[in-house]
Amino acid sequence: MKIGFIGVGKMASAIIQGLKETSHELIISGSSLERSKEIAEQLGLAYAESHQALIDQTDFIILGIKPQMFESVLQDLQFHQPLMSIAAGISLARLEELVGQNLPLFRIMPNMNAQILKSTTGLCYNGLVDHALLLSVKEMTDSFGKTFEIAEKDFDTFTALAGSSPAYIYLFIEAMAMAGLKNGLPKDKALEIISQTVQASAQQLLAGQEKPNDLIDKICSPGGTTITGLMELEAQGLSHAISSAIDKTIEKAKQL
């Protein structure tokens, strides 16, 4: 399949790194011909002379443009193939209005871990997508991480849990490293220790044999250090703060 990218920002560039490991042929079109040439050279890809020229020679389109640019970029283009959008806030219904109502359409929400081919990606699609095309698209999205097929109504929640949450996790890791520094460890060493621990803890959960509370109970001993720390986290409102942050993120996503 020949896949064309309209818009090649950071997320699209990360996705391209995964797709380059597949058998698909890739071509790009940026904000200008000069920009297309520059990005194509950086990524080792072919470029089209214009967005329409790219559309006319490809089997599948991935839209990497910013949400606020959709109308101005797409309004004069004529599409004939399936499309996939990676933009937050652009619903499938809105995409249909912009590109035509007789095309198979996909919407995905990757996260920044696509840069290391470990994205957690949400996927939904319209009623014109058949099973074979769906399998092909999942193969694409799995090339840069793991794909979760979800209902579009849940996309804002997914955005909070997977798209925004890496920033919250990094904040937690930074706070832990600073606590290590305060108590005498070099910050770089503390950061390495915490990062390794977070990675292994997530892997433990992904093994699927135990739930978070089961593992918490295993780590805590009566009257011990861990339960003391956990009680302080709850006294300071950690669980409520996390839930509130997710609620605010979802609320903001719905406003886009």
Side-chain angles (χ1 to χ4, degrees):
M1 186 183 295
K2 189 172 185 179
I3 301 172
F5 280 79
I6 296 178
V8 196
K10 291 182 180 179
M11 186 59 72
S13 296
I15 290 172
I16 285 169
Q17 295 307 317
L19 289 177
K20 285 173 74 174
E21 301 302 316
T22 70
S23 60
H24 300 297
E25 183 182 353
L26 308 179
I27 184 171
I28 66 164
S29 179
S31 56
S32 66
L33 181 55
E34 182 180 349
R35 183 64 176 147
S36 295
K37 292 178 179 178
E38 180 184 344
I39 297 172
E41 184 175 354
Q42 291 172 359
L43 297 176
L45 296 178
Y47 66 89
E49 296 290 322
S50 67
H51 294 337
Q52 190 62 57
L54 178 138
I55 293 166
D56 293 342
Q57 63 179 294
T58 53
D59 307 304
F60 192 93
I61 297 290
I62 297 177
L63 300 173
I65 52 181
K66 296 181 183 300
Q68 60 269 29
M69 299 297 294
F70 263 58
E71 187 166 355
S72 61
V73 171
L74 301 180
Q75 61 182 351
D76 296 323
L77 300 176
Q78 299 297 316
F79 295 93
H80 61 84
Q81 66 275 79
L83 288 92
M84 182 162 70
S85 167
I86 64 174
I90 302 294
S91 67
L92 290 171
R94 179 58 177 150
L95 194 55
E96 285 181 355
E97 292 175 359
L98 292 168
V99 303
Q101 299 184 358
N102 297 314
L103 297 173
L105 300 176
F106 295 87
R107 182 181 174 192
I108 65 168
M109 179 56 61
N111 67 14
M112 71 172 297
N113 293 327
Q115 295 175 354
I116 57 170
L117 307 185
K118 294 289 186 181
S119 175
T120 305
T121 303
L123 168 71
C124 66
Y125 47 90
N126 69 3
L128 297 177
V129 172
D130 62 30
H131 183 66
L133 180 58
L134 176 59
L135 289 179
S136 182
V137 168
K138 283 185 175 180
E139 178 246 345
M140 293 182 205
T141 55
D142 283 343
S143 74
F144 52 87
K146 182 175 177 61
T147 307
F148 292 83
E149 189 176 329
I150 60 173
E152 187 173 27
K153 68 179 181 62
D154 296 323
F155 247 55
D156 293 331
T157 301
F158 185 89
T159 297
L161 295 180
S164 300
S165 69
Y168 312 152
I169 294 167
Y170 294 138
L171 179 62
F172 169 79
I173 291 172
E174 175 69 9
M176 292 283 283
M178 290 296 287
L181 177 64
K182 184 181 74 172
N183 286 279
L185 275 178
K187 188 179 178 185
D188 287 350
K189 179 65 70 176
L191 187 60
E192 183 179 3
I193 291 167
I194 297 303
S195 298
Q196 171 63 34
T197 304
V198 169
Q199 180 186 42
S201 299
Q203 289 173 338
Q204 182 93 310
L205 284 175
L206 288 172
Q209 297 179 356
E210 296 173 290
K211 301 300 182 185
N213 279 336
D214 298 328
L215 295 166
I216 289 171
D217 289 345
K218 281 188 172 183
I219 299 169
C220 291
S221 57
T225 57
T226 304
I227 189 60
T228 300
L230 283 173
M231 295 300 290
E232 179 62 16
L233 287 173
E234 288 306 297
Q236 296 296 327
L238 177 67
S239 294
H240 175 77
I242 292 171
S243 180
S244 181
I246 296 299
D247 290 345
K248 291 292 186 182
T249 306
I250 294 170
E251 181 182 323
K252 182 64 175 180
K254 291 184 183 299
Q255 296 171 4
L256 294 176

